[in-house]
């Protein structure tokens, strides 16, 4: 069965610092992987997705993620954090039927 | 504007009452999903539907029911059998369901509080 583990339920960075949110997956087949962002009391918005076309995936708002098969990882990064990046981030893997398995989320805080 | 609408944004009910959450999409998507979100738990799948007049249970279907009579609509009923109904409920849709790389698009959510 597929699963997703997000390391760290809370991450705090200073404005302008590197953002690194970790995601490891378990899948018996080549996965499709997604990162979503959720602002308080709102739905989820897609940041980026990996569909095997390229291992380094660029998304919206300056985020990117690198698929590393050997490490079964799909970590999300942004070179310089902005106050508006404060939100909760979810990593997800697609099952064969198209359903998504979500990690438990990482809340990102950005300090001025 | 294409998208997914959920209504109402906030819903309050007394224990023992059934309540129906609305989800409508005008994206012409085939698949629709209902998730429940609790703090620190991520999103858990309640029900999903890949085509009109068909739906399947997700991981936590007990105490919930759905219907899919129209492509655009996928209402969720929280019944009195659901032991802990207070949560944030999210509806989503995707263009194709099975084995695809299609992302899911989410509605704004409904926060249900049962007292």
């Amino acid at each position: 069965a597929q699963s997703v583990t997000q390391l760290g339920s809370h991450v705090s960075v200073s404005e302008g610092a590197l953002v690194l949110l970790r995601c490891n997956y378990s899948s018996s087949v080549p996965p499709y992987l997604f990162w979503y962002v959720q602002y308080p009391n709102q739905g989820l918005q897609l940041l980026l997705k990996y569909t095997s076309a390229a291992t380094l995936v660029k998304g919206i708002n300056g985020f990117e993620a690198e698929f590393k098969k050997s490490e079964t990882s799909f970590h999300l990064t942004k070179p310089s954090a902005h106050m508006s990046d404060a939100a909760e981030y979810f990593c997800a893997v697609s099952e064969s039927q198209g359903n998504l398995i979500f990690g438990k989320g990482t809340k990102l805080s950005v300090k001025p | 504007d294409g998208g997914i609408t959920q209504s109402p944004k906030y819903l309050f009910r007394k224990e023992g009452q059934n309540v129906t959450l609305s989800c409508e999409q005008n994206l012409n998507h085939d698949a629709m999903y209902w998730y429940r979100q609790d703090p620190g738990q991520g999103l858990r799948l309640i029900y999903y539907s890949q085509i009109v007049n068909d739906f399947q249970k997700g991981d936590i279907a007990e105490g919930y029911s759905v219907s899919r009579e129209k492509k655009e609509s996928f209402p969720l009923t929280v019944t009195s059998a659901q032991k802990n109904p207070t949560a944030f409920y999210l509806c989503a849709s995707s263009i194709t369901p099975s084995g695809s790389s299609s992302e899911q698009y989410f509605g704004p959510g409904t926060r249900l509080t049962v007292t």
Side-chain angles (χ1 to χ4, degrees):
Chain A
Q2 288 155 312
S3 65
V4 172
T5 301
Q6 291 185 241
L7 298 175
S9 58
H10 288 87
V11 170
S12 181
V13 301
S14 297
E15 192 173 18
L18 171 72
V19 176
L20 171 60
L21 304 181
R22 300 177 187 273
C23 173
N24 288 88
Y25 69 91
S26 170
S27 175
S28 58
V29 298
Y32 298 126
L33 293 159
F34 304 81
W35 274 101
Y36 283 86
V37 62
Q38 184 183 33
Y39 298 99
N41 290 313
Q42 294 186 24
L44 276 67
Q45 179 184 4
L46 181 71
L47 278 176
L48 49 82
K49 67 178 182 180
Y50 168 75
T51 58
S52 76
T55 56
L56 183 63
V57 182
K58 294 189 184 297
I60 62 171
N61 301 340
F63 284 93
E64 62 182 34
E66 186 172 9
F67 173 72
K68 291 187 177 180
K69 184 178 179 180
S70 60
E71 298 177 7
T72 61
S73 69
F74 190 55
H75 301 332
L76 182 71
T77 61
K78 182 174 180 178
S80 177
H82 192 271
M83 297 295 291
S84 61
D85 294 326
E88 190 160 17
Y89 293 80
F90 292 93
C91 182
V93 62
S94 178
E95 287 191 309
S96 58
Q97 290 185 326
N99 294 341
L100 293 182
I101 305 297
F102 285 87
K104 294 192 174 184
T106 298
K107 282 189 179 174
L108 175 66
S109 300
V110 182
K111 298 174 289 186
Chain B
D1 268 344
I4 302 176
T5 57
Q6 291 185 243
S7 61
K9 180 71 173 174
Y10 299 93
L11 191 53
F12 298 88
R13 280 293 182 271
K14 294 290 187 185
E15 195 173 323
Q17 293 179 335
N18 291 355
V19 59
T20 298
L21 281 60
S22 168
C23 177
E24 303 278 333
Q25 56 101 356
N26 60 4
L27 300 167
N28 200 32
H29 286 175
D30 290 312
M32 296 187 74
Y33 310 82
W34 272 106
Y35 294 92
R36 171 182 172 136
Q37 185 178 20
D38 297 282
Q41 295 295 315
L43 278 71
R44 293 182 289 170
L45 183 64
I46 305 173
Y47 268 98
Y48 64 101
S49 168
Q50 297 180 344
I51 195 169
V52 175
N53 292 321
D54 188 41
F55 49 82
Q56 286 77 43
K57 294 181 180 179
D59 300 319
I60 56 165
E62 186 175 349
Y64 300 97
S65 66
V66 294
S67 63
R68 186 87 187 276
E69 298 176 1
K70 298 187 297 183
K71 188 175 185 178
E72 310 79 46
S73 179
F74 191 41
L76 173 74
T77 296
V78 184
T79 75
S80 56
Q82 168 51 232
K83 293 178 181 165
N84 293 300
T86 294
F88 191 52
Y89 290 87
L90 287 160
C91 179
S93 69
S94 66
I95 190 166
T96 56
S98 299
S100 74
S101 62
S102 297
E103 62 266 33
Q104 293 183 15
Y105 294 79
F106 284 81
T110 292
R111 186 166 298 280
L112 173 65
T113 302
V114 177
T115 57

